[in-house]
Amino acid sequence: MGSPKLQVLLLPHPLILLPTARLTLPISRSLADAILSLLDDSDAVVAAIPLPAPDSPSEVTYGTAARVARLVRPRNQSSPTQPYLLSLHGITRIRFPSPIQVDKLDNLPVHNVLYPSSEGTPSRVTVEAFKHAALALLDRLAKDSPQPQRKDDWLRVAAIVEDISEQRAAWMADVLVAAVSSQYPDKLAFLAATDVEDRLRRATELFVKQSSIQEVSKKIASAVDESFSRQQKEYFLRQQLVAIQRELQSLQSSPASVGPGFGTGGATSELDDDDQADADDLADLRRKIEALDVGSEERKVGIREWRRLKRIPQGSVENGVIRSYLEWLTSVPWPSNSTTTPLDVLKDHSFLTRARAQLDADHYGLDQIKRRLMEYLAVVRLRALADAAKTQTQGNNPSTDASPGAAPTTPTKSKGVKGPILLFVGPPGTGKTSLGQSIAKALGRPFQRISLGGVRDEAEIRGHRRTYVASSPGSIVQALRKAGRNDPVILLDEVDKVGHSNFHGDPAAALLEVLDPEQNHSFNDHYINVPIDLSQVLFICTSNTLDTISAPLLDRCEVVELSGYTYDEKMHIAKRFLLPKQICANGLSDSQLTLTDDALLHVATMYTREAGVRSLERAIGAVVRFKAVEWAEWLDKGNGAMGGEGNAKQNENRSEKQDGNTNVDGVGKEWRATIEAHELEQILGIPRWDGEERDREEKRGVVYGLVVTGMGEGGILPVESTALPGTGRLKLTGSLGDVIKESGEIALSWVKTHAFELGITAGRGVDPLKVPDVIDVHLHLPAGAQKKDGPSAGIAMICAFVSLLSGACVPKDIAMTGEITLRGRVTPVGGIRMKVLGAHRAQIRKVILPWANRKDVEHDVALEVRREMQFFFVRTIDEALDAAFGHGALGWRKETVLLESRL
């Protein structure tokens, strides 16, 4: 009869499986499939042989017969090549009739094996020597064990050894050798000992050797402990404290399971202080430092700080400071560890089309901003394609002039396209912040927002120096770390509200380097203290006004104005974005609520008066919440029991055929989802804006000017004047500033000078305020609680004075703006787009503007607004008066002046 055969499983070096021991190891998929086929048998036994050391012969003649105890695939297994875990239980020793060659063991080859005889009783002298050595080692292990539970385990094993019989001594030797930490050659020689007497003798030698090692280690530790310095003692005590806390946690936690080995297992938490986790963090930190570009400044600093970290004890404060610095240094996206937009994405012919579609899907209108961004994207794509073509050309045509011994040149990395510095200026609610998110989404880049409102410390931008306690990098570096790339879209929100210079420094001055395309390639954060390249970052700043931004900072930005939305744009935004958003946020569906176009327009015109859409969104939200309450009450009364939303759709179809005022208070009544304009007063109350701007009247001495409020919103402002008995002086009221008061005095002076030409007086040189009656002129700009200043009310003041003194009236659908001079010239003013949109909201049909502002109207005002309004561009005050009163309405006296010669 032939010798038995077993499939051979190779154990990777330095694993050894002894009889009575249990071993778990990772294996490959192919090996797992072979073992699964083996598990179909009732007794799945393999021959587990140890892999010899690299410098030893690769032939194996002995091993252990092991039973397959478990084969699993854990979820958290990180190795893709060895995804399975195999558990083996040693049974007995085996030998091979002839040595086998171990070259490749991805499978389970079958070999003949021999089972050495385990019969025989060792001599009493050998057993006593074995017991003495084993008890000495167990006593030493119990004394040196820092854990009480472990100590008790060793003592219990020692009690078993004392009572062991001579026949079971060999079995106890296998158990103890497997449990005691020993060197690989010793265990290998013990595995090869098949004779019982020889096995006990080898175990005795191993125990004596291990006891000596433990004793020497204890003496060395005691000697070193005596020479500890104060700092080392503190570190040692801290480590003891950590060990004590760990033991307390293990005692407080309930045991999860009891294993076959020594001790019990308990539930662990990821929050427990684990030395292995700390070592893994340090190893990961080292890998990140090694991954930095060789010769770069950040790598040099990282290596220097790493060497300092290894010299400082772990428990010291300086250790934590250096480690925090290295974590920040390696987490910054440097060129070596940062990812950029893949070249395949830029090569795609639909790249620009998809980006434009993304911008159009997120925002309606804003054509100027979208055009500027598409220019930037086109340059990025062309630059990337050109660099790729250049690299390919260099690869196909290598240089032949280089000497044979010369080192190969490394290709230089492309610097890319410098990101523009955009400054969005406009009233609140016009989409400045959300536009930044849409830009990042269109570019496929991460988005980070930094709020600068109320920032007063320069260190919040540049970071704190490492000499300060609890220092940290600035907001720019923190945003880069969160983004994980060196080309994110960073939004600097509310840049006009940053604090001014104080004893903490000037935050606005710190932004000068960040927002300068010629300097931010080497931005220096005080904490990192290594130049950081910000040239690839797309910075977007937002502001409500330009008045509080310093001139040097403003000079570094590309200003893009978001003046406000027209009613047509607000209607599109409300239907595409605001209404669906509020319906979803309040638990309704599109079929349960519908606002007609007239209702939306009524909300936009009568309940809101703003350049943005925030108030419009709040008003729409109030309407949706009102209908949500009605819907909930309608369901509570049993109307929705038959089908929820589907029932609502059916009832909506029925209600379209009935009267619009369907009662929803009773059971069985049908749900009406449509909201008409006449229902809004019941929901939102009396309109906040009752249209007094539209109910204007033509009155002597009253004209309408165009203004821009402090938040960037445009509107119209009546300029009222009246005559009263007095001494011929001018009185100005309405919380006016110095500039606007001077405009009033200039306007009255020009009217007095040209009173005869205007037909106000009968002769030249006559003061119209004193002839025929002595009067005072009172000029008032309503809303006296609001501060007003600026030169743009000059034309309106002149028209008001001419109307008051001549009796002619300016039509109520005309508004005007422009600065005047004593020579009668009309000079340009700012805020044209905001003013025109404000006039459009007030249903002004004719606007008088300076001739120099013609380009602003054509460039900034939407075409649909220009089609609905008539613009008069004037160069002189004469042209402005003709446009305001109508040609021939004033009866100009254009007589030729005769001069008498004195020659």
Side-chain angles (χ1 to χ4, degrees), residues 431-457:
K432 299 183 295 297
T433 303
S434 60
L435 188 62
Q437 299 176 352
S438 178
I439 292 172
K441 195 182 301 181
L443 294 175
R445 299 183 182 181
F447 174 79
Q448 292 295 321
R449 174 180 172 270
I450 301 175
S451 179
L452 298 178
V455 173
R456 297 179 298 172
D457 192 354

Side-chain angles (χ1 to χ4, degrees), residues 70-140:
R70 191 181 185 189
L71 178 63
V72 295
R73 182 175 183 177
R75 295 183 179 179
N76 57 352
Q77 184 68 19
S78 59
S79 176
T81 59
Q82 295 179 331
Y84 292 88
L85 288 180
L86 174 65
S87 296
L88 300 175
H89 181 73
I91 302 175
T92 184
R93 288 173 173 79
I94 59 171
R95 283 187 177 276
F96 296 98
S98 59
I100 64 173
Q101 193 75 16
V102 288
D103 296 331
K104 181 180 180 183
L105 282 178
D106 287 340
N107 50 7
L108 296 176
V110 180
H111 289 276
N112 295 326
V113 297
L114 298 175
Y115 291 95
S117 176
S118 59
E119 299 180 356
T121 303
S123 63
R124 181 178 296 275
V125 177
T126 305
V127 173
E128 292 298 331
F130 164 74
K131 287 184 178 182
H132 179 74
L135 290 175
L137 177 60
L138 292 173
D139 183 64
R140 172 62 63 183

Side-chain angles (χ1 to χ4, degrees), residues 704-706 716 810-817 839 844-849:
Y704 294 91
L706 299 177
I716 64 173
V810 177
K812 62 180 180 180
D813 61 344
I814 293 181
M816 59 199 73
T817 183
I844 294 291
R845 291 294 172 258
K846 299 179 181 179
V847 178
I848 302 174
L849 300 174

Side-chain angles (χ1 to χ4, degrees), residues 112-190:
N112 295 326
V113 297
L114 298 175
Y115 291 95
S117 176
S118 59
E119 299 180 356
T121 303
S123 63
R124 181 178 296 275
V125 177
T126 305
V127 173
E128 292 298 331
F130 164 74
K131 287 184 178 182
H132 179 74
L135 290 175
L137 177 60
L138 292 173
D139 183 64
R140 172 62 63 183
L141 291 175
K143 290 181 180 179
D144 296 343
S145 178
Q147 301 179 3
Q149 182 67 34
R150 191 73 171 175
K151 181 178 180 179
D152 295 341
D153 292 339
W154 290 124
L155 293 177
R156 282 195 293 267
V157 174
I160 297 175
V161 172
E162 289 181 354
D163 299 335
I164 198 72
S165 62
E166 295 177 358
Q167 290 78 10
R168 301 282 291 173
W171 171 82
M172 180 56 68
D174 289 338
V175 174
L176 290 179
V177 172
V180 174
S181 298
S182 55
Q183 297 181 358
Y184 179 79
D186 295 335
K187 284 192 174 183
L188 199 60
F190 181 77

Side-chain angles (χ1 to χ4, degrees), residues 502-515:
N502 52 46
F503 65 92
H504 291 294
D506 190 357
L511 289 173
L512 295 179
E513 182 183 3
V514 176
L515 299 180

Side-chain angles (χ1 to χ4, degrees), residues 828-840:
V829 293
I832 293 299
R833 186 172 190 268
M834 286 85 80
K835 293 177 179 179
V836 171
L837 291 180
H840 181 265

